[in-house]
Amino acid sequence: MQDSGIQLAVVDMAGTTVADDGLVVEAFEAAAEAGGLPPSGPQREHARQYVLDTMGQSKITVFRALFDDDDTAQRANAAFEESYASLIAAGRAEPITGAAESLSRLRAGGIKVALTTGFSPDTQGKLISALGWHDIADLVLAPGDGVRGRPYPDLILTALLRIGADSVRSVAALGDTASDIESALRAGCAIAAGTLTGAHDERQLVAAGATHIVTSVSDFADLLLKG
């Protein structure tokens, strides 16, 4: 364990370790069409903005908030997942500069790493495969049965239990959205850090209660290892 007392780093994927490059919004357009939203106008714009505001949350939760019934939400979510997977398959997934090296440095320094996401387990697996990151983390987690997505604390607390960290105060979390920060604070993490490589800016991350703001995952690794 590091002098900092951190045993586990829970790190987001899209926008934090993986460059988003507009992929989520692009995939949303397919979901909007499947959900029956008009191709343009206030309703479509409102939905698009809601997706941006809720970046980091479980996508099915987002679509349930946008659509009136669960069948439509499920149809929209399936279209989103299919579109995002197609973009990944087309080579659109790229790591944030220095991400792989940063995660490796954390593990070499004795800190376990869990990669988390708001995507489904299937989409997370495809993203991991596209990046060749099968061995980059000690654990990968996505929302699923018994594990709610952000802003709930479940992903972080599940990672703690599976890794076997001593307490929530030995956990540091990193994400690029207000939902990531809220999740980390709800979990009681010692560090709830926001990175400036993704969806939300410094003002939004600070307003959400971030304990630290870093320019990238590389600086997050430096923060945890400096002890």
Side-chain angles (χ1 to χ4, degrees), residues 140-221:
V140 294
L141 278 176
D145 290 342
V147 181
R148 295 169 297 179
R150 309 179 195 105
Y152 295 103
D154 299 29
L155 288 167
I156 293 171
L157 296 178
T158 300
L160 179 151
L161 290 170
R162 293 189 186 177
I163 291 293
D166 290 343
S167 79
V168 291
R169 301 305 296 169
S170 65
V171 180
L174 178 69
D176 65 299
T177 71
S179 291
D180 290 297
I181 302 302
E182 184 177 350
S183 176
L185 293 175
R186 288 189 185 189
C189 293
I191 293 174
T195 178
L196 301 179
T197 53
H200 291 168
D201 60 23
E202 183 171 3
R203 178 190 58 80
Q204 291 170 295
L205 296 169
V206 169
T211 61
H212 300 73
I213 300 295
V214 296
T215 57
S216 72
V217 63
S218 297
D219 291 334
F220 177 71

Side-chain angles (χ1 to χ4, degrees), residues 103 107 112-115 128 133-140:
L103 300 182
R107 297 177 77 194
K112 301 288 188 181
V113 172
L115 279 179
I128 292 284
W133 279 8
H134 298 286
D135 300 316
I136 205 169
D138 298 282
L139 180 69
V140 294

